[in-house]
Amino acid sequence: KAGVTQTPRYLIKTRGQQVTLSCSPISGHRSVSWYQQTPGQGLQFLFEYFSETQRNKGNFPGRFSGRQFSNSRSEMNVSTLELGDSALYLCASSGGTSRHYEQYFGPGTRLTVT
Amino acid sequence: AQSVTQPDIHITVSEGASLELRCNYSYGATPYLFWYVQSPGQGLQLLLKYFSGDTLVQGIKGFEAEFKRSQSSFNLRKPSVHWSDAAEYFCAVADRDDKIIFGKGTRLHILP
């Protein structure tokens, strides 16, 4: 079974631009969560989508948004990029309806904002 | 608020030696606890999880962890480390809103 895939793997953007990251979950998984990982703040939860609905949200500004499609693929968008948005963005998928199923992580997208 | 503390930022052990990584959590109810490992340039891989039942849980790659409610701890152990175990290890707890809260991580270094 193919794992979680994230595209692109690396991205360089300029302050003020916007960016869209993509995540394809493991086949059959309906839940997709997004995390931001930085050296200073560690791993922080952004949001979770389940069956195209946002089920949970972390404490991030409205510049961070996401969506999920009917095939469970998910995208996250960051508008008006700031230098502090430079981070590794990780996507994780999980299967079944239980929220506590183990999460399978993708390799991440490394975003650099200059 | 729920939180996870990993008191050791870096740990160095010799290959073949035993390992214990510490994790303390703050959570009012019975916690759901996890240990993940992240190798450089990789995503996170789940090593093991505790939901209920036996407080000693076995995971992949020879790791185990023990849940101690009285100490609010969920320490990760391995009897004999291999050079390939060098990585960063994260303890995590699922909070009442089902969000996963991660500790800051412990980077494990292995001496040959």
Side-chain angles (χ1 to χ4, degrees):
Chain A
K1 194 185 267 190
V4 177
T5 58
Q6 292 187 244
T7 57
R9 290 293 310 278
Y10 303 91
L11 207 48
I12 300 175
K13 289 287 188 178
T14 304
R15 271 182 302 175
Q17 288 185 315
Q18 75 164 22
V19 66
T20 299
L21 312 181
S22 180
C23 171
S24 293
I26 291 171
S27 177
H29 285 190
R30 294 164 65 191
S31 170
V32 173
S33 298
W34 289 89
Y35 297 85
Q36 181 195 66
Q37 185 177 24
T38 59
Q41 298 299 316
L43 276 155
Q44 294 184 284
F45 172 78
L46 279 156
F47 28 64
E48 180 203 2
Y49 285 87
F50 180 81
S51 293
E52 302 178 65
T53 301
Q54 188 179 87
R55 189 159 70 174
N56 240 324
K57 190 177 187 306
N59 297 320
F60 277 81
R63 299 186 297 107
F64 292 81
S65 62
R67 60 177 175 169
Q68 187 179 34
F69 302 94
S70 58
N71 61 358
S72 294
R73 190 177 70 84
S74 177
E75 289 181 347
M76 67 163 282
N77 183 276
V78 188
S79 62
T80 320
L81 284 166
E82 301 177 359
L83 294 178
D85 297 332
S86 294
L88 180 67
Y89 290 88
L90 292 164
C91 159
S93 76
S94 58
T97 56
S98 168
R99 298 175 183 186
H100 299 296
Y101 275 9
E102 56 192 76
Q103 295 195 341
Y104 294 85
F105 282 79
T109 294
R110 172 77 61 187
L111 171 65
T112 302
V113 182
T114 61
Chain B
Q2 292 76 27
S3 64
V4 177
T5 302
Q6 294 180 248
D8 304 305
I9 299 174
H10 294 272
I11 285 223
T12 301
V13 298
S14 298
E15 190 169 17
S18 63
L19 170 70
E20 182 168 31
L21 301 183
R22 297 183 291 165
C23 172
N24 292 98
Y25 66 89
S26 170
Y27 188 70
T30 300
Y32 293 165
L33 296 159
F34 310 84
W35 274 100
Y36 287 86
V37 61
Q38 185 178 33
S39 298
Q42 306 281 328
L44 275 71
Q45 182 181 22
L46 180 68
L47 285 175
L48 46 79
K49 59 187 181 287
Y50 172 78
F51 288 173
S52 64
D54 194 347
T55 57
L56 184 64
V57 293
Q58 302 296 321
I60 62 171
K61 305 186 179 188
F63 285 94
E64 66 177 26
E66 186 171 12
F67 169 60
K68 292 186 177 179
R69 184 188 300 276
S70 61
Q71 298 177 20
S72 297
S73 70
F74 189 56
N75 294 348
L76 181 72
R77 301 194 295 247
K78 187 170 184 177
S80 176
V81 298
H82 186 262
W83 64 266
S84 61
D85 293 325
E88 189 154 22
Y89 292 80
F90 294 91
C91 182
V93 63
D95 73 1
R96 57 174 58 91
D97 294 322
D98 294 334
K99 295 195 294 290
I100 307 293
I101 298 170
F102 287 87
K104 295 291 191 184
T106 296
R107 187 167 293 280
L108 175 64
H109 306 271
I110 308 292
L111 293 175

